[in-house]
Amino acid sequence: MDKKLPIAVFVSGRGTNLQSIIDAINAGKLDAEIKLVVSNRSKAYALKRCEKYGIPYKVIPSKKFSSPQEWGEALIEVVKESGAELIVLAGFMKIVPNNFIEAFENRIINIHPSLLPAFKGLEAQSQAFDYGVKITGCSVHLVIPELDSGPIIAQAAVPVLPNDTAETLAARILEHEHRIYPQVIQWFAENRIKIEGNKLIVLGAKYGTLPFNPQLEKF
Ligand code: GRF
């Protein structure tokens, strides 16, 4: 594909999902270009990854602004400047302001480490582990003002094993996050996402929105 989808990635921490996106682009599996990384924390390790790969980044902490609205305006401005057409929240630990969501309606996606709508909010892996579910996983969804809600684009199911701790479970879920997030961005790059109310359809998908199965070439 000639045209690369311009994206902005929002981070707050270690940035392993950012890394999976960089790796997929470098491997030629993802037709996207990271125009900008935005962090609300100057110490986020994700920014070291930006330096390593020469990716432009900006640190925009919410506490520097007097209201979420003003912070949102600053975010809108840098994203518009960057030319990004899709905003990818990858471990962004702040609630995105409503004016930002309105400005980029249906063009903001998030990854959450549970099978939504179960276990919204912080530490979803521990919530699932403590509840005692036998299957959990991760979800990629469109961002709407309500936290961890919005149409689901893809999910991966991860079994909870008898010897798991919350940490081993979180690590196994993370492997699946790294698999499905680049895949979802590629669907956007291929213009295959169609929104119908709260349901989202991946055009031409052979297997609905099942995440990539290595035994299948394409889905
Ligand atoms: C991931 O578990 C993601 O699902 C959640 O925050 C974590 C970010 O991890 N939203 P990383 O910074 O991408 O390593």
Side-chain angles (χ1 to χ4, degrees):
M1 199 173 285
D2 295 339
K3 190 184 175 292
K4 300 212 175 289
L5 178 70
I7 64 172
V9 183
F10 279 35
V11 297
S12 298
R14 62 193 170 171
T16 65
N17 276 289
L18 169 66
Q19 187 69 52
S20 75
I21 296 165
I22 296 170
D23 292 345
I25 291 172
N26 289 345
K29 291 183 188 162
L30 173 54
D31 300 309
E33 187 184 347
I34 305 175
K35 291 284 190 188
L36 179 67
V37 167
V38 172
S39 174
N40 62 320
R41 290 184 52 238
S42 60
K43 295 210 168 86
Y45 184 76
L47 301 179
K48 297 243 184 294
R49 301 180 196 270
C50 294
E51 278 161 14
K52 178 171 175 196
Y53 293 94
I55 298 168
Y57 67 83
K58 288 203 160 85
V59 178
I60 310 181
S62 58
K63 55 179 184 277
K64 283 208 169 161
F65 298 85
S66 52
S67 66
Q69 181 84 7
E70 277 185 24
W71 183 46
E73 273 157 27
L75 296 174
I76 292 168
E77 196 181 317
V78 293
V79 170
K80 283 200 171 153
E81 255 173 35
S82 76
E85 288 170 17
L86 181 73
I87 295 112
V88 177
L89 306 185
F92 192 60
M93 302 306 286
K94 273 271 168 193
I95 295 187
V96 180
N98 281 348
N99 55 343
F100 185 81
I101 297 173
E102 275 161 28
F104 299 103
E105 198 188 1
N106 294 337
R107 288 191 286 146
I108 312 172
I109 59 176
N110 181 44
I111 189 154
H112 183 77
S114 76
L115 287 180
L116 288 170
F119 309 121
K120 296 178 181 182
L122 291 175
E123 297 186 14
Q125 306 95 324
S126 300
Q127 288 187 51
F129 183 78
D130 292 344
Y131 195 95
V133 294
K134 302 300 181 208
I135 296 179
T136 181
C138 50
S139 309
V140 180
H141 64 95
L142 283 179
V143 172
I144 61 170
E146 203 184 321
L147 185 70
D148 297 330
S149 302
I152 291 170
I153 309 171
Q155 294 182 304
V158 176
V160 182
L161 303 179
N163 294 329
D164 263 335
T165 61
E167 290 72 33
T168 58
L169 178 61
R172 196 154 357 91
I173 294 171
L174 194 61
E175 286 175 28
H176 289 266
E177 294 185 32
H178 297 163
R179 201 164 54 78
I180 70 170
Y181 219 6
Q183 173 69 66
V184 167
I185 300 167
Q186 180 61 16
W187 286 335
F188 277 92
E190 292 172 355
N191 225 349
R192 287 170 62 187
I193 302 287
K194 195 170 162 235
I195 298 148
E196 285 184 355
N198 198 47
K199 288 223 182 79
L200 190 146
I201 294 161
V202 182
L203 297 172
K206 285 192 215 155
Y207 302 96
T209 59
L210 284 172
F212 175 70
N213 176 339
Q215 287 161 352
L216 306 168
E217 270 178 33
K218 195 169 168 71
F219 70 105

mmCIF file of all heavy atoms in Angstrom, residues 11-19 46 49 89-93 110-114 125 138-139 148 170 173-174 177-178, ligand 1:
data_model
loop_
_atom_site.group_PDB
_atom_site.id
_atom_site.type_symbol
_atom_site.label_atom_id
_atom_site.label_comp_id
_atom_site.label_asym_id
_atom_site.label_seq_id
_atom_site.Cartn_x
_atom_site.Cartn_y
_atom_site.Cartn_z
ATOM 1 N N VAL A 11 0.791 8.182 25.141
ATOM 2 C CA VAL A 11 1.393 7.267 26.125
ATOM 3 C C VAL A 11 1.527 7.962 27.483
ATOM 4 O O VAL A 11 1.500 9.197 27.564
ATOM 5 C CB VAL A 11 2.795 6.817 25.659
ATOM 6 C CG1 VAL A 11 2.742 6.034 24.357
ATOM 7 C CG2 VAL A 11 3.737 8.020 25.506
ATOM 8 N N SER A 12 1.735 7.132 28.510
ATOM 9 C CA SER A 12 2.074 7.688 29.834
ATOM 10 C C SER A 12 3.211 6.935 30.498
ATOM 11 O O SER A 12 3.776 7.419 31.466
ATOM 12 C CB SER A 12 0.869 7.612 30.791
ATOM 13 O OG SER A 12 -0.208 8.370 30.338
ATOM 14 N N GLY A 13 3.497 5.722 30.020
ATOM 15 C CA GLY A 13 4.421 4.880 30.777
ATOM 16 C C GLY A 13 5.467 4.189 29.946
ATOM 17 O O GLY A 13 6.116 4.794 29.096
ATOM 18 N N ARG A 14 5.577 2.869 30.142
ATOM 19 C CA ARG A 14 6.711 2.129 29.550
ATOM 20 C C ARG A 14 6.628 2.007 28.020
ATOM 21 O O ARG A 14 7.635 1.844 27.349
ATOM 22 C CB ARG A 14 6.792 0.741 30.202
ATOM 23 C CG ARG A 14 5.554 -0.051 29.939
ATOM 24 C CD ARG A 14 5.384 -1.297 30.765
ATOM 25 N NE ARG A 14 4.013 -1.727 30.493
ATOM 26 C CZ ARG A 14 3.478 -2.843 30.856
ATOM 27 N NH1 ARG A 14 4.166 -3.713 31.545
ATOM 28 N NH2 ARG A 14 2.227 -3.133 30.537
ATOM 29 N N GLY A 15 5.415 1.992 27.482
ATOM 30 C CA GLY A 15 5.288 2.056 26.019
ATOM 31 C C GLY A 15 5.571 0.773 25.263
ATOM 32 O O GLY A 15 6.054 0.812 24.131
ATOM 33 N N THR A 16 5.211 -0.374 25.862
ATOM 34 C CA THR A 16 5.427 -1.615 25.090
ATOM 35 C C THR A 16 4.446 -1.712 23.916
ATOM 36 O O THR A 16 4.779 -2.284 22.880
ATOM 37 C CB THR A 16 5.328 -2.882 25.963
ATOM 38 O OG1 THR A 16 3.998 -3.005 26.462
ATOM 39 C CG2 THR A 16 6.324 -2.851 27.112
ATOM 40 N N ASN A 17 3.250 -1.147 24.081
ATOM 41 C CA ASN A 17 2.327 -1.151 22.931
ATOM 42 C C ASN A 17 2.840 -0.233 21.828
ATOM 43 O O ASN A 17 2.739 -0.569 20.643
ATOM 44 C CB ASN A 17 0.919 -0.754 23.371
ATOM 45 C CG ASN A 17 0.149 -1.940 23.927
ATOM 46 O OD1 ASN A 17 -0.249 -2.835 23.185
ATOM 47 N ND2 ASN A 17 -0.029 -1.967 25.242
ATOM 48 N N LEU A 18 3.405 0.906 22.222
ATOM 49 C CA LEU A 18 4.036 1.780 21.220
ATOM 50 C C LEU A 18 5.106 0.987 20.473
ATOM 51 O O LEU A 18 5.203 1.040 19.242
ATOM 52 C CB LEU A 18 4.656 3.004 21.909
ATOM 53 C CG LEU A 18 5.576 3.863 21.051
ATOM 54 C CD1 LEU A 18 4.801 4.551 19.922
ATOM 55 C CD2 LEU A 18 6.304 4.913 21.897
ATOM 56 N N GLN A 19 5.901 0.228 21.227
ATOM 57 C CA GLN A 19 6.971 -0.564 20.605
ATOM 58 C C GLN A 19 6.398 -1.571 19.604
ATOM 59 O O GLN A 19 6.964 -1.773 18.524
ATOM 60 C CB GLN A 19 7.768 -1.296 21.691
ATOM 61 C CG GLN A 19 9.003 -2.019 21.168
ATOM 62 C CD GLN A 19 10.077 -1.048 20.694
ATOM 63 O OE1 GLN A 19 10.450 -0.147 21.410
ATOM 64 N NE2 GLN A 19 10.553 -1.242 19.463
ATOM 65 N N ALA A 46 8.409 5.388 27.441
ATOM 66 C CA ALA A 46 8.017 5.398 26.019
ATOM 67 C C ALA A 46 8.774 6.474 25.237
ATOM 68 O O ALA A 46 9.057 6.307 24.045
ATOM 69 C CB ALA A 46 6.511 5.628 25.911
ATOM 70 N N ARG A 49 11.962 5.385 23.786
ATOM 71 C CA ARG A 49 11.750 4.633 22.539
ATOM 72 C C ARG A 49 11.634 5.612 21.368
ATOM 73 O O ARG A 49 12.160 5.356 20.284
ATOM 74 C CB ARG A 49 10.487 3.766 22.641
ATOM 75 C CG ARG A 49 10.519 2.759 23.784
ATOM 76 C CD ARG A 49 9.220 1.949 23.803
ATOM 77 N NE ARG A 49 9.026 1.251 25.072
ATOM 78 C CZ ARG A 49 9.459 0.017 25.336
ATOM 79 N NH1 ARG A 49 10.082 -0.675 24.415
ATOM 80 N NH2 ARG A 49 9.240 -0.548 26.514
ATOM 81 N N LEU A 89 -4.504 5.538 21.662
ATOM 82 C CA LEU A 89 -4.164 5.631 23.086
ATOM 83 C C LEU A 89 -3.490 4.312 23.478
ATOM 84 O O LEU A 89 -4.091 3.241 23.356
ATOM 85 C CB LEU A 89 -5.413 5.862 23.942
ATOM 86 C CG LEU A 89 -6.315 7.049 23.562
ATOM 87 C CD1 LEU A 89 -7.442 7.199 24.591
ATOM 88 C CD2 LEU A 89 -5.538 8.346 23.431
ATOM 89 N N ALA A 90 -2.252 4.401 23.921
ATOM 90 C CA ALA A 90 -1.497 3.180 24.232
ATOM 91 C C ALA A 90 -0.915 3.325 25.640
ATOM 92 O O ALA A 90 0.208 3.747 25.821
ATOM 93 C CB ALA A 90 -0.392 2.967 23.198
ATOM 94 N N GLY A 91 -1.766 3.012 26.626
ATOM 95 C CA GLY A 91 -1.334 3.183 28.010
ATOM 96 C C GLY A 91 -1.341 4.646 28.414
ATOM 97 O O GLY A 91 -0.488 5.086 29.176
ATOM 98 N N PHE A 92 -2.306 5.400 27.922
ATOM 99 C CA PHE A 92 -2.451 6.804 28.291
ATOM 100 C C PHE A 92 -3.329 6.833 29.537
ATOM 101 O O PHE A 92 -4.499 6.455 29.481
ATOM 102 C CB PHE A 92 -3.083 7.584 27.139
ATOM 103 C CG PHE A 92 -3.015 9.081 27.307
ATOM 104 C CD1 PHE A 92 -1.791 9.721 27.410
ATOM 105 C CD2 PHE A 92 -4.173 9.845 27.339
ATOM 106 C CE1 PHE A 92 -1.714 11.103 27.552
ATOM 107 C CE2 PHE A 92 -4.109 11.226 27.470
ATOM 108 C CZ PHE A 92 -2.874 11.853 27.580
ATOM 109 N N MET A 93 -2.740 7.243 30.661
ATOM 110 C CA MET A 93 -3.389 7.030 31.949
ATOM 111 C C MET A 93 -4.223 8.218 32.443
ATOM 112 O O MET A 93 -4.482 8.343 33.627
ATOM 113 C CB MET A 93 -2.346 6.655 33.014
ATOM 114 C CG MET A 93 -1.536 5.419 32.663
ATOM 115 S SD MET A 93 -2.561 3.983 32.269
ATOM 116 C CE MET A 93 -3.106 3.555 33.910
ATOM 117 N N ASN A 110 -8.530 2.943 21.769
ATOM 118 C CA ASN A 110 -7.864 2.636 23.044
ATOM 119 C C ASN A 110 -7.742 1.125 23.184
ATOM 120 O O ASN A 110 -8.558 0.382 22.649
ATOM 121 C CB ASN A 110 -8.707 3.194 24.202
ATOM 122 C CG ASN A 110 -8.068 2.933 25.554
ATOM 123 O OD1 ASN A 110 -6.856 3.120 25.729
ATOM 124 N ND2 ASN A 110 -8.849 2.480 26.515
ATOM 125 N N ILE A 111 -6.702 0.702 23.910
ATOM 126 C CA ILE A 111 -6.585 -0.725 24.240
ATOM 127 C C ILE A 111 -6.746 -0.877 25.742
ATOM 128 O O ILE A 111 -6.186 -0.095 26.515
ATOM 129 C CB ILE A 111 -5.276 -1.341 23.719
ATOM 130 C CG1 ILE A 111 -5.309 -2.864 23.896
ATOM 131 C CG2 ILE A 111 -4.027 -0.733 24.357
ATOM 132 C CD1 ILE A 111 -4.450 -3.632 22.925
ATOM 133 N N HIS A 112 -7.544 -1.869 26.126
ATOM 134 C CA HIS A 112 -7.836 -2.077 27.546
ATOM 135 C C HIS A 112 -7.595 -3.553 27.878
ATOM 136 O O HIS A 112 -8.034 -4.430 27.139
ATOM 137 C CB HIS A 112 -9.292 -1.678 27.827
ATOM 138 C CG HIS A 112 -9.644 -1.798 29.271
ATOM 139 N ND1 HIS A 112 -9.257 -0.864 30.211
ATOM 140 C CD2 HIS A 112 -10.314 -2.764 29.952
ATOM 141 C CE1 HIS A 112 -9.678 -1.248 31.403
ATOM 142 N NE2 HIS A 112 -10.329 -2.401 31.265
ATOM 143 N N PRO A 113 -6.916 -3.819 29.019
ATOM 144 C CA PRO A 113 -6.541 -5.209 29.309
ATOM 145 C C PRO A 113 -7.619 -6.035 29.998
ATOM 146 O O PRO A 113 -7.402 -6.627 31.053
ATOM 147 C CB PRO A 113 -5.301 -5.039 30.196
ATOM 148 C CG PRO A 113 -5.510 -3.740 30.887
ATOM 149 C CD PRO A 113 -6.302 -2.870 29.944
ATOM 150 N N SER A 114 -8.816 -6.071 29.402
ATOM 151 C CA SER A 114 -9.864 -6.998 29.853
ATOM 152 C C SER A 114 -10.782 -7.226 28.666
ATOM 153 O O SER A 114 -10.688 -6.529 27.651
ATOM 154 C CB SER A 114 -10.678 -6.415 31.016
ATOM 155 O OG SER A 114 -11.592 -5.441 30.544
ATOM 156 N N GLN A 125 -6.468 -6.253 34.921
ATOM 157 C CA GLN A 125 -5.969 -7.631 35.014
ATOM 158 C C GLN A 125 -6.147 -8.165 36.429
ATOM 159 O O GLN A 125 -6.571 -9.308 36.625
ATOM 160 C CB GLN A 125 -4.484 -7.700 34.629
ATOM 161 C CG GLN A 125 -4.148 -7.099 33.270
ATOM 162 C CD GLN A 125 -3.678 -5.660 33.370
ATOM 163 O OE1 GLN A 125 -4.155 -4.879 34.200
ATOM 164 N NE2 GLN A 125 -2.744 -5.282 32.518
ATOM 165 N N CYS A 138 -8.073 -8.903 26.222
ATOM 166 C CA CYS A 138 -7.899 -7.477 25.966
ATOM 167 C C CYS A 138 -8.857 -7.054 24.849
ATOM 168 O O CYS A 138 -9.305 -7.888 24.052
ATOM 169 C CB CYS A 138 -6.450 -7.149 25.603
ATOM 170 S SG CYS A 138 -5.737 -8.189 24.330
ATOM 171 N N SER A 139 -9.147 -5.765 24.839
ATOM 172 C CA SER A 139 -10.105 -5.216 23.877
ATOM 173 C C SER A 139 -9.551 -3.928 23.285
ATOM 174 O O SER A 139 -8.949 -3.126 24.000
ATOM 175 C CB SER A 139 -11.426 -4.845 24.576
ATOM 176 O OG SER A 139 -11.933 -5.907 25.354
ATOM 177 N N ASP A 148 -13.681 3.602 28.999
ATOM 178 C CA ASP A 148 -13.546 2.201 28.571
ATOM 179 C C ASP A 148 -14.836 1.653 27.952
ATOM 180 O O ASP A 148 -15.189 0.482 28.140
ATOM 181 C CB ASP A 148 -13.079 1.313 29.742
ATOM 182 C CG ASP A 148 -11.697 1.708 30.223
ATOM 183 O OD1 ASP A 148 -10.891 2.190 29.407
ATOM 184 O OD2 ASP A 148 -11.411 1.539 31.426
ATOM 185 N N ALA A 170 -1.212 -10.753 33.636
ATOM 186 C CA ALA A 170 -1.061 -9.465 32.939
ATOM 187 C C ALA A 170 -0.029 -9.579 31.819
ATOM 188 O O ALA A 170 -0.221 -9.032 30.729
ATOM 189 C CB ALA A 170 -0.653 -8.377 33.936
ATOM 190 N N ILE A 173 -1.617 -11.387 28.890
ATOM 191 C CA ILE A 173 -2.564 -10.503 28.190
ATOM 192 C C ILE A 173 -1.785 -9.516 27.310
ATOM 193 O O ILE A 173 -2.158 -9.261 26.159
ATOM 194 C CB ILE A 173 -3.457 -9.734 29.199
ATOM 195 C CG1 ILE A 173 -4.365 -10.706 29.946
ATOM 196 C CG2 ILE A 173 -4.293 -8.667 28.483
ATOM 197 C CD1 ILE A 173 -5.129 -10.077 31.118
ATOM 198 N N LEU A 174 -0.683 -9.005 27.856
ATOM 199 C CA LEU A 174 0.107 -7.999 27.131
ATOM 200 C C LEU A 174 0.607 -8.530 25.779
ATOM 201 O O LEU A 174 0.612 -7.812 24.782
ATOM 202 C CB LEU A 174 1.292 -7.554 28.007
ATOM 203 C CG LEU A 174 2.031 -6.297 27.564
ATOM 204 C CD1 LEU A 174 1.123 -5.069 27.553
ATOM 205 C CD2 LEU A 174 3.232 -6.023 28.482
ATOM 206 N N GLU A 177 -2.107 -8.033 23.498
ATOM 207 C CA GLU A 177 -2.268 -6.610 23.158
ATOM 208 C C GLU A 177 -1.339 -6.257 22.000
ATOM 209 O O GLU A 177 -1.726 -5.584 21.047
ATOM 210 C CB GLU A 177 -1.926 -5.725 24.367
ATOM 211 C CG GLU A 177 -2.872 -5.886 25.530
ATOM 212 C CD GLU A 177 -2.567 -4.909 26.656
ATOM 213 O OE1 GLU A 177 -2.113 -3.796 26.382
ATOM 214 O OE2 GLU A 177 -2.784 -5.276 27.834
ATOM 215 N N HIS A 178 -0.107 -6.737 22.115
ATOM 216 C CA HIS A 178 0.904 -6.399 21.101
ATOM 217 C C HIS A 178 0.563 -7.013 19.745
ATOM 218 O O HIS A 178 1.048 -6.565 18.706
ATOM 219 C CB HIS A 178 2.280 -6.886 21.559
ATOM 220 C CG HIS A 178 2.735 -6.211 22.825
ATOM 221 N ND1 HIS A 178 3.743 -6.687 23.605
ATOM 222 C CD2 HIS A 178 2.287 -5.080 23.429
ATOM 223 C CE1 HIS A 178 3.914 -5.879 24.657
ATOM 224 N NE2 HIS A 178 3.036 -4.908 24.568
HETATM 225 C C1 GRF B 1 -1.566 -1.838 28.747
HETATM 226 O O1 GRF B 1 -1.862 -2.929 29.563
HETATM 227 C C2 GRF B 1 -2.824 -1.255 28.150
HETATM 228 O O2 GRF B 1 -3.805 -2.216 27.907
HETATM 229 C C3 GRF B 1 -3.286 -0.311 29.224
HETATM 230 O O3 GRF B 1 -2.112 0.247 29.736
HETATM 231 C C4 GRF B 1 -1.026 -0.658 29.539
HETATM 232 C C5 GRF B 1 0.040 0.089 28.792
HETATM 233 O O4 GRF B 1 1.229 -0.634 28.668
HETATM 234 N N1 GRF B 1 -4.213 0.658 28.686
HETATM 235 P P1 GRF B 1 2.412 -0.091 27.772
HETATM 236 O O5 GRF B 1 2.772 1.303 28.298
HETATM 237 O O6 GRF B 1 1.962 -0.064 26.356
HETATM 238 O O7 GRF B 1 3.541 -1.047 28.005
#
